[in-house]
Structures are given as structure tokens and as C-alpha cells.
Amino acid sequence: MASNSRHYDIVIAGGGLCGASLACALIKAGKRILVVESVAFDSDLQPTYDERTVALTYSSRNVFSALGVWEQIEEGGAQPIHDIHVSNRGGFGQTRLSCHDAGTESLGYVIPVRNIGRVLLETLDQSEEIEFLCPASVVNARVKQAHCEIEIAHGSETLRATAELLVVADGGRSRLADELGYIVNVKAYEQSAVLCIIKTDQPHQGRAYERFLDDGPLALLPHRMGQGAVRGGADGCHFAMVWTTRNTEVSQRLNLDDEGFVDLLQSMFGNRAGSFSEPSPRKSYPLSRIRVDRPALKRSVLLGNAAHTVHPVAGQGFNLGLRDVACLVHLVSESGLALGSMEMAREYVRLRRQDSRAVEGFTHTLIQIFSNSIAPVSWLRNAGLVAIEHFPPAKRMLIKTTMGLHASPQKLTSGIPVH
């Protein structure tokens, strides 16, 4: 590596939600940090500023509280989820999960992705400790004994840097992960998620719905339209819809006119949430499961979707990535292990293994059970929903998983800042 290369303690490849969250968490860690993001933030292709929503668990809210950014995110339009109604179309099984059972003010929050991205980037922009390159991309990384050598494409220039730790947070099917030697397991679900915002004639009152259909789950998340809506969403009449759809039917649902789409949605969901109308333009993306059994090696670690992509059935994807952030911040700031060492990599793998496998197994099992139209399986899942409704320990366990409180707590997931 040329002598004019710049040295950093940590280089973060990917400035999306997980990468930016990690950088914000490490602002006061006394480390020299570079964040490299490939897509300009004013681009239509930038996912940190698109119109999707994310279901944020209560433990993830704690992370943002510890980072000192939760109030700004909440003010930008965070809709609390007070309870979740789970049902099976054509069956007798149903259950309700309530924040009252959890003893908290909410089970989670529905937030536009652009609100979180805006607050994180404003925080980083105000920081003198974090260096940000955008648009730029890490094009090559070579692991050496004492550091990682990194080449960065920035416009017409090729910049060179070294870092004690390279954090790969550039999303699913990461090219960098392959180059660094990670073994990535990919399973395509042959399903896609169809997304839109839908209006209803009844206030949602903070209630989310998860309805299992023959081809997959249909989720309706209470949505707060625009900044400055009444706290608690009592007057809210919009849902963010995530409809898992067989790939063979995606085009048909995307190409329906608004009236035809509303009629199909109403027939599949029923009237418990009111009468639907005014769907926004529909979008879709393919679904797959990505798993890396060892998401950390010497001088590098995979974060968020680069390490694990799960089915959106339980809304756990980004939340799982934030718990990656909390664990890595703990190791960098408090473990005493040498940054980027093999010992740190082993400890990261050990600490994240149980949580990652639990969430991956939970979401994958739900899809296998609830996307099956065989009569005995259908009867068993209905009976299972009834059992959960009438067996408090099972309901508490499901609520704990839904809220992201099943994992071993770190300071950040407990809402405690790390300095």
C-alpha cells in the first residue's frame, strides 16, 4: 500500500441505516472513523431516503434513545403500535398482542425510512469525529496482519486507506463479503413483498394486523401521514401495507387499477380494519433469506443485511441489524479486546449467534407453517393461534420476541449510552 494512504481505526462500507447508526453510536468512542456510501443521498435509488416504512421494535427505540436521536425521529412521524391482531384467513384461529401485556407504552413504532435516515445523517454531519465520503465505494479490500488495506473509488480518483477494522454494511448479497471470504447462504422464497399506503374509513388507533393467507402473510401497519399528526394516532386512517405475494402473481397485483386492487385487498383481508380506498402506487421487491454463520473474521465484520436478511413476516430485519450495532459498539468500547483482532471476531460471532439464529428460525418457520394450504397444517396453525391467545406464557414469549427483548441485552438496547 502506498505511503500516502490514510489510516483509520474503523472504515464502514455502507452509510445506510445500519452503517449510519453504527457511526452515530461511535461518535464519542475516540476512534478515527470513515463512512463510505456508494449512492448519493439525493438519488431516487438511495434506500435511506425512500418512502418505505420500517416497524421499529421497542428495543430498537432504546438504541436510538441511547444515541440521543429518538426525539427527533419521533417528531418526524413515529406511529406507536399499541396492539397487534393476528389471524388466519378462512380459519378460526386468532390472537391479540397488547402493549398492556408487556407493561410498556407500545410494542413498537412504524416510521418512514426517510425520517430515520435524515436524523442520522444530520447527526453525522454535525460531528467532527466522523469522516463521510459519498458517493464513493470500497472497490477492494485486503486483510493483512496489522490492518486491512482498502481501495475506495471516489469520482475519478482511487483513494487508499488502511483500517484496523472494516465494517461491511452495504446490504444483502454484498460483493465485499464474497471478496473477504465469507460463506454466504442464500435461499430464495419465490415470493415478493408488494408495498403501498392504503386509506381506511376507520381510525386505526395504533393497531397493526398480520393476516395469514394461502400465499403468505398480509401485514397492515398503522401509519401516521405527514409530520405533526396527533400523538398516538387516534385520528390516523392509513396503513402501510406489506403483502407477501407469489412471484407468479406480483405483476397482476401491481398492474391492477386502484379500484381493482382495493377490491382484491378487501376480499382477502375482510372488514375488521374498515373499508379501504386510495392506495398509493404499488412497489415490490423479491424476498430471500441470507445467512452468514460466521459474520466476523479478522479485520472485518458484516453488519445488518450483509450478515442476515430475513423474511419481513415479523418485521425483524432492520431491528436485528440494530442489535448487531449494539453488540459491535460494546466490543469496540468496553470489551478491552484489540480492535479487529481474531479474538474480537470470535466474541462477536459468539454474542450474535443465538439472537440471529432465533430470528431467522422464527421467521422461516412462520412462512413454512402459514404458507401451507394442506388441511392438517391449516388446522394446527389455527389451534396454535388459539393456544397462544389463551396461554399467557406463550403470549408473553411471542410479545418478547416481537419487541426484540428476547436477546441478551447490551447497553444500547437497554437505552444506556456508551462512551
Side-chain angles (χ1 to χ4, degrees):
M1 182 66 65
S3 60
N4 62 352
S5 65
R6 302 187 67 179
H7 182 74
Y8 298 90
D9 296 301
I10 301 172
V11 170
I12 303 173
L17 294 185
C18 275
S21 296
L22 176 64
C24 286
L26 292 173
I27 284 176
K28 297 188 182 299
K31 304 295 182 184
R32 188 175 184 186
I33 297 172
L34 172 66
V35 181
V36 181
E37 170 55 36
S38 61
V39 183
F41 289 102
D42 57 359
S43 168
D44 292 338
L45 300 176
Q46 175 52 253
T48 304
Y49 271 116
D50 68 14
E51 294 303 313
R52 290 175 302 159
T53 59
V54 62
L56 205 69
T57 64
Y58 201 81
S59 71
S60 293
R61 171 237 167 105
N62 288 343
V63 171
F64 286 133
S65 293
L67 300 188
V69 299
W70 172 248
E71 287 188 5
Q72 299 98 297
I73 292 174
E74 189 176 28
E75 289 170 0
Q79 168 60 54
I81 300 173
H82 298 308
D83 56 274
I84 304 172
H85 184 277
V86 185
S87 62
N88 186 39
R89 183 173 184 261
F92 56 87
Q94 58 181 325
T95 189
R96 294 173 180 83
L97 310 178
S98 171
C99 63
H100 299 298
D101 296 325
T104 57
E105 63 187 62
S106 70
L107 294 173
Y109 300 83
V110 180
I111 307 174
V113 168
R114 55 180 164 76
N115 288 355
I116 303 176
R118 174 183 55 80
V119 172
L120 293 175
L121 292 175
E122 286 176 356
T123 302
L124 291 177
D125 191 52
Q126 296 166 9
S127 167
E128 297 180 357
E129 293 85 355
I130 308 296
E131 192 174 334
F132 212 111
L133 275 181
C134 179
S137 59
V138 175
V139 294
N140 194 15
R142 293 183 293 273
V143 175
K144 302 295 183 179
Q145 181 63 27
H147 57 250
C148 188
E149 296 182 347
I150 300 163
E151 293 183 3
I152 301 167
H154 181 49
S156 60
E157 295 182 278
T158 297
L159 308 179
R160 289 174 170 79
T162 58
E164 294 180 42
L165 178 66
L166 172 63
V167 177
V168 179
D170 58 356
R173 305 195 181 188
S174 166
R175 176 189 57 80
L176 268 179
D178 291 336
E179 289 185 0
L180 289 166
Y182 287 94
I183 300 174
V184 181
N185 301 293
V186 180
K187 174 180 173 56
Y189 278 112
E190 299 183 358
Q191 296 174 323
S192 293
V194 175
L195 314 177
C196 77
I197 304 297
I198 192 84
K199 186 178 180 180
T200 179
D201 63 353
Q202 296 180 12
H204 56 59
Q205 297 182 332
R207 173 170 292 173
Y209 295 89
E210 186 90 53
R211 186 154 175 80
F212 290 98
L213 312 176
D214 287 342
D215 59 348
L218 167 60
L220 295 178
L221 306 174
H223 183 57
R224 182 179 298 183
M225 294 293 288
Q227 190 168 351
V230 174
R231 185 179 295 274
D235 64 342
C237 294
H238 288 84
F239 288 99
M241 184 205 78
V242 184
W243 190 348
T244 298
T245 303
R246 294 189 185 99
N247 287 338
T248 54
E249 299 176 7
V250 171
S251 295
Q252 183 261 346
R253 291 181 185 176
L254 292 177
N255 294 328
L256 284 171
D257 61 23
D258 287 356
E259 183 179 357
F261 183 79
V262 166
D263 288 344
L264 178 62
L265 176 63
Q266 200 82 61
S267 68
M268 292 293 181
F269 189 82
N271 298 311
R272 57 173 48 85
S275 296
F276 300 126
S277 64
E278 301 179 26
S280 68
R282 272 79 70 196
K283 298 181 179 180
S284 70
Y285 66 91
L287 301 178
S288 61
R289 182 180 69 171
I290 297 174
R291 185 181 70 234
V292 179
D293 289 329
R294 293 192 58 82
L297 300 172
K298 187 172 184 177
R299 302 294 167 202
S300 67
V301 60
L302 306 186
L303 205 69
N305 284 346
H308 40 63
T309 300
V310 298
H311 197 285
V313 60
Q316 293 296 314
F318 175 51
N319 300 288
L320 190 59
L322 278 182
R323 295 198 292 276
D324 290 347
V325 168
C327 180
L328 187 55
V329 169
H330 160 71
L331 291 176
V332 170
S333 302
E334 300 183 301
S335 70
L337 297 172
L339 186 62
S341 65
M342 199 64 226
E343 290 76 18
M344 175 177 280
R346 292 192 189 101
E347 185 65 1
Y348 181 84
V349 170
R350 185 188 71 81
L351 290 174
R352 295 301 299 136
R353 180 181 288 118
Q354 183 175 356
D355 181 24
S356 297
R357 289 184 177 177
V359 171
E360 291 165 9
F362 174 61
T363 55
H364 186 67
T365 300
L366 281 179
I367 289 304
Q368 297 305 305
I369 293 176
F370 284 96
S371 296
N372 193 320
S373 58
I374 299 175
V377 177
S378 178
W379 186 90
L380 285 173
R381 66 183 178 230
N382 280 291
L385 288 174
V386 172
I388 290 172
E389 177 65 15
H390 293 92
F391 187 54
K395 179 177 285 192
R396 284 194 295 270
M397 182 180 298
L398 184 56
I399 289 173
K400 196 172 182 181
T401 301
T402 301
M403 296 177 70
L405 300 176
H406 63 286
S408 300
Q410 304 290 343
K411 277 189 174 181
L412 289 183
T413 55
S414 301
I416 302 170
V418 176
H419 298 304

